[in-house]
Every structure is written in structure tokens, then in C-alpha cells.
Amino acid sequence: MTNDTFESLLRAQVGVELDAHTQYIAIAVYFDSEDLPQLAAHFYRQAVEERNHGMMIVQYMLDRDLKVEIPAGKEPKNGFGSVTEPIELALAQEKQVTKQIEALFAAARAEGDVLSEQFLLWFLKEQVEEVASMSTLLTVAQRASGNLFDIENFVAREQVGDGGVDADAPGAAGGAL
């Protein structure tokens, strides 16, 4: 792999994170429209977290004097047939992002870019938390067997995920929201 491979993957990851931001907004709006305020609030927070992830990568690229281009986003899915469907989509999305971060790390390692390896370690740790928390939320939603109040109570009672707060997180361009 050449340095161009890592940089190309990193640029693409900015778009992936911003697409996740948009998808989580669409999921939050769906839950809001279904009068599920706890789930809506959770996904609005997730949307901000994904935006911050994208801007962390942008800041890293700026700090390393790499060319930054913000790609056009893809269309989010807006309609869902059940309360579990958007959570299933979110889990699949987090698993895909994990694979992409792993590929970024492998490219940095192959190119001998130890600074980028170090930067990506935080994202790898974050993806473990993201997949685990979305998996838990899906399990709870499936076990609730359509009782939406059980899901809402769970989200209100338990902290699902880290809430986007991590003192070790890289800085975000423009500041984290």
C-alpha cells in the first residue's frame, strides 16, 4: 500500500461518519414521529457523536497537512416498518464502520505510519462500544415484543453507550458539539 491508499481511505471515512450522522438524524426523527422521546433523544445524541467523529478525522488531516475534501452525502433511509428496523440498520452501520476503521488501521500499519495508527486506536476502542451498545439496544427492543414503553423505560433508565463523552477523544475541527 502507498501513502495514497491510507489518505484515500481516511478521506472516504469522513464521508462515512457524516453519512452516519445523517442516518442517525433520520432514525431520531422516525422515533420522534412515533412519540418515542427516549429513543429519539438517544439517536439525536448518536447523530452528534457521528458528526464529531467525522470532524475529528478532519482535524487530524488538517494537523497532518493532508488535503481535506468533504464528500457529498448519501441518501439516508427514512421509512421504517417497525421499532426494531432502524436499530437493526444502526447496528449494521456500526459493524460496517468497524470494518472500515480496521482497514484504515491496517493501511496505516502497512505504510509504517505510526502516528495514524495511534490516532486510530481511539476509533477502534469507540467502535467496540458502539457495536456493543447498539447490539444491547436491539436485544432489548426484540425482547420487548412490541411493548414500546419497555424500550422507552430501558433507554431512560440505562445509559446506552458512552454518550459521546470521552476525555481521551481526539479534537474535532470546529470543536466537538
Side-chain angles (χ1 to χ4, degrees):
M1 290 185 189
T2 66
N3 195 18
D4 291 339
T5 300
F6 174 75
E7 288 182 31
S8 177
L9 290 171
L10 196 59
R11 275 188 204 92
Q13 194 63 34
V14 171
V16 167
E17 299 294 340
L18 296 178
D19 284 346
H21 163 76
T22 304
Q23 184 59 66
Y24 281 153
I25 290 171
I27 291 171
V29 168
Y30 165 76
F31 285 130
D32 240 353
S33 72
E34 295 293 316
D35 295 323
L36 298 167
Q38 298 299 323
L39 283 165
H42 173 72
F43 280 97
Y44 283 127
R45 284 188 304 274
Q46 286 298 120
V48 170
E49 190 173 325
E50 297 302 332
R51 175 264 180 210
N52 288 342
H53 293 170
M55 298 311 286
M56 289 170 186
I57 296 170
V58 167
Q59 186 63 56
Y60 178 74
M61 293 174 75
L62 291 169
D63 290 346
R64 295 288 309 273
D65 200 28
L66 302 174
K67 184 177 179 182
V68 178
E69 294 177 351
I70 305 301
K74 70 177 192 177
E75 189 78 22
K77 180 175 173 66
N78 286 290
F80 301 99
S82 70
V83 72
T84 58
E85 190 179 333
I87 301 169
E88 289 167 345
L89 175 62
L91 177 58
Q93 180 174 280
E94 292 299 346
K95 287 180 177 181
Q96 181 60 38
V97 169
T98 299
K99 289 178 186 174
Q100 291 162 314
I101 298 293
E102 289 171 341
L104 268 166
F105 187 87
R109 177 158 286 177
E111 294 170 15
D113 186 349
V114 296
L115 295 175
S116 293
E117 277 189 54
Q118 188 277 332
F119 171 70
L120 292 168
L121 287 173
W122 182 87
F123 283 90
L124 290 169
K125 178 185 83 162
E126 178 69 6
Q127 283 311 119
V128 170
E129 180 270 323
E130 294 284 347
V131 170
S133 64
M134 210 56 71
S135 183
T136 296
L137 186 56
L138 179 58
T139 298
V140 168
Q142 289 168 335
R143 287 181 183 160
S145 301
N147 186 337
L148 303 180
F149 293 113
D150 283 348
I151 304 168
E152 284 285 282
N153 286 334
F154 174 81
V155 175
R157 183 182 67 242
E158 303 294 329
Q159 180 174 334
V160 182
D162 64 8
V165 179
D166 184 345
D168 295 329
L177 298 180

